[in-house]
Amino acid sequence: MKDKVLKPITRWFIVIGSVFVIITLLLYAIKVNPFEVYKLLIEGSLGSKYRIARVLNVWIPLVLCSCGLLYTFSLGLWNIGIEGQIMLGAIGATAAFKWFYPSFPSLYVMVLGFLFAIIAGGLWALFAGILKTKGGVNEIFAGLGLNFVAQGLILWLIFGPWKRPGIASMSGTEPFNRHLWLSTLKGFRVSPVALAIAVSVFIATVFIFKYTKWGLFFKAIGDNPTAGTLFGISVNKYSLFAMFLAGACAGIAGFFQTAGVYHRLIPAISSNYGYLALLIVMLANFSYWPVPFIAFFFACLNVGSIQLPMVLNIDSSLSGIIQGLSVLVFLCVYNFQKLKENSLE
């Protein structure tokens, strides 16, 4: 019993320590004071109420996309198309806002926008799933291809049917009416509704994996698809279901980006949060409990790194290097630790 508790704690301590040491050495190698960088990252992300609000606005879509990826990863599906699914969610929400407002009350239109985002994101992911299960197209290539199509669709809408009156620009569509913005707390620009939705989706994901037959089947198929088939579980059916759930979660993230952050459709509406969520889930070792904490760490890096070019004259892309390096070091050290433990048993 004691070993069961101590082993994971020791493993995580070694992994986190290794990540910290390697990143510190990297910063020294490029002649930057690492402790100055850490201080700026903390101050830049948590130094004021405004910055904490920005961190939470990044945390919300990261958690939503990570929850979606947990479903597909549990089946061994690499849903790289999560970026495109965020974009389709944003397009779905924008379509509802443009088609139904002001003919219907703003509250109804917001609900419709939310549903359109879920359906659009879910169907886009389902399409990649159908290509995989019916056409034999690898989900990685299908997802990448659909990401490019989604990006092209957004640009076509912004410069075509949904362009601003008299002008079309990369700044996006015309801003939505203020009644279609997600409300925020006074002095704290975070939507409590979006926060509640993200937390609810995470709790629902944990519940599905722990207490429902869907979660059990996802894990069973992921561990051994052949055995799943022998027990009468349809691998294709659950693969498609997992893809739809992942796309629906990404679609909600797209709704939040349009109604809660940018208040319009812009070309970079996904902000690469889908790709970041892939790193988060891998860093969490495909487990759900670490996801909110790692997402918060990545959100802090994302927001805090804005300080780096201004104070230390370092490119803000350093945060991306830290994120990628964290995952690589984690995977190497974690797997080495596991192999070592298994050889001793």
Side-chain angles (χ1 to χ4, degrees), residues 11-12 15 19 62 65-74 76-80 82 140 273-292 294-295 297-298 320 323-335 338:
R11 190 189 305 147
W12 275 100
V15 168
V19 169
L62 286 181
C65 293
S66 300
C67 287
L69 288 170
L70 284 169
Y71 294 113
T72 48
F73 272 128
S74 69
L77 295 170
W78 285 76
N79 183 20
I80 305 296
I82 190 102
I140 295 175
Y273 291 152
Y275 294 130
L276 269 183
L278 285 164
L279 294 182
I280 289 168
V281 179
M282 282 193 279
L283 198 52
N285 199 30
F286 312 107
S287 172
Y288 37 78
W289 289 120
V291 161
I294 298 172
F297 169 66
F298 274 35
Q323 287 161 351
L325 198 60
S326 300
V327 176
L328 278 176
V329 173
F330 168 82
L331 290 174
C332 290
V333 177
Y334 183 87
N335 286 316
K338 287 279 284 181

Side-chain angles (χ1 to χ4, degrees), residues 84-127:
Q85 292 147 29
I86 299 173
M87 295 180 213
L88 260 290
I91 291 172
T94 307
F97 294 167
K98 284 193 166 288
W99 293 342
F100 299 114
Y101 190 82
S103 303
F104 294 91
S106 57
L107 181 61
Y108 294 164
V109 177
M110 290 288 278
V111 174
L112 281 172
F114 183 72
L115 295 175
F116 271 44
I118 289 176
I119 293 167
L123 290 179
W124 201 248
L126 197 59
F127 185 44

Side-chain angles (χ1 to χ4, degrees), residues 7-289:
K7 270 187 181 176
I9 292 174
T10 308
R11 190 189 305 147
W12 275 100
F13 183 76
I14 292 171
V15 168
I16 293 169
S18 303
V19 169
F20 178 75
V21 168
I22 290 177
I23 289 171
T24 302
L25 289 175
L26 170 76
L27 292 171
Y28 271 126
I30 58 173
K31 297 181 181 174
V32 175
N33 183 345
F35 300 101
E36 188 71 22
V37 171
Y38 297 144
K39 183 183 162 202
L40 281 173
L41 286 174
I42 293 169
E43 285 179 357
S45 55
L46 304 173
S48 69
K49 205 161 64 169
Y50 169 75
R51 288 168 182 167
I52 293 171
R54 290 192 61 192
V55 168
L56 289 175
N57 278 330
V58 176
W59 182 82
I60 289 168
L62 286 181
V63 167
L64 288 167
C65 293
S66 300
C67 287
L69 288 170
L70 284 169
Y71 294 113
T72 48
F73 272 128
S74 69
L75 285 164
L77 295 170
W78 285 76
N79 183 20
I80 305 296
I82 190 102
E83 274 286 309
Q85 292 147 29
I86 299 173
M87 295 180 213
L88 260 290
I91 291 172
T94 307
F97 294 167
K98 284 193 166 288
W99 293 342
F100 299 114
Y101 190 82
S103 303
F104 294 91
S106 57
L107 181 61
Y108 294 164
V109 177
M110 290 288 278
V111 174
L112 281 172
F114 183 72
L115 295 175
F116 271 44
I118 289 176
I119 293 167
L123 290 179
W124 201 248
L126 197 59
F127 185 44
I130 291 169
L131 288 174
K132 160 86 177 175
T133 55
K134 307 293 181 190
V137 180
N138 187 291
E139 73 276 9
I140 295 175
F141 300 119
L144 277 175
L146 288 172
N147 285 350
F148 284 110
V149 175
Q151 187 64 71
L153 188 57
I154 281 189
L155 289 173
W156 174 71
L157 289 168
I158 289 173
F159 286 93
W162 292 348
K163 70 179 180 185
R164 293 183 179 209
I167 184 172
S169 75
M170 290 296 280
S171 60
T173 59
E174 196 174 10
F176 305 137
N177 187 289
R178 290 190 74 89
H179 291 104
L180 298 175
W181 296 13
L182 284 174
S183 58
T184 58
L185 299 172
K186 193 177 179 184
F188 194 64
R189 296 185 63 184
V190 177
S191 164
V193 174
L195 208 53
I197 290 171
V199 172
S200 303
V201 169
F202 175 71
I203 293 171
T205 301
V206 174
F207 183 82
I208 286 172
F209 276 110
K210 275 182 81 76
Y211 301 110
T212 68
K213 69 174 185 179
W214 293 342
L216 186 66
F217 289 168
F218 285 157
K219 283 188 231 169
I221 297 169
D223 289 342
N224 192 334
T226 310
T229 307
L230 289 174
F231 279 100
I233 303 170
S234 170
V235 176
N236 285 352
K237 180 181 151 191
Y238 277 93
S239 296
L240 293 174
F241 184 44
M243 287 297 285
F244 182 83
L245 287 177
C249 291
I252 297 173
F255 169 80
F256 170 69
Q257 289 289 93
T258 47
V261 178
Y262 294 106
H263 307 125
R264 63 187 188 278
L265 184 67
I266 63 168
I269 195 74
S270 65
S271 302
N272 288 330
Y273 291 152
Y275 294 130
L276 269 183
L278 285 164
L279 294 182
I280 289 168
V281 179
M282 282 193 279
L283 198 52
N285 199 30
F286 312 107
S287 172
Y288 37 78
W289 289 120

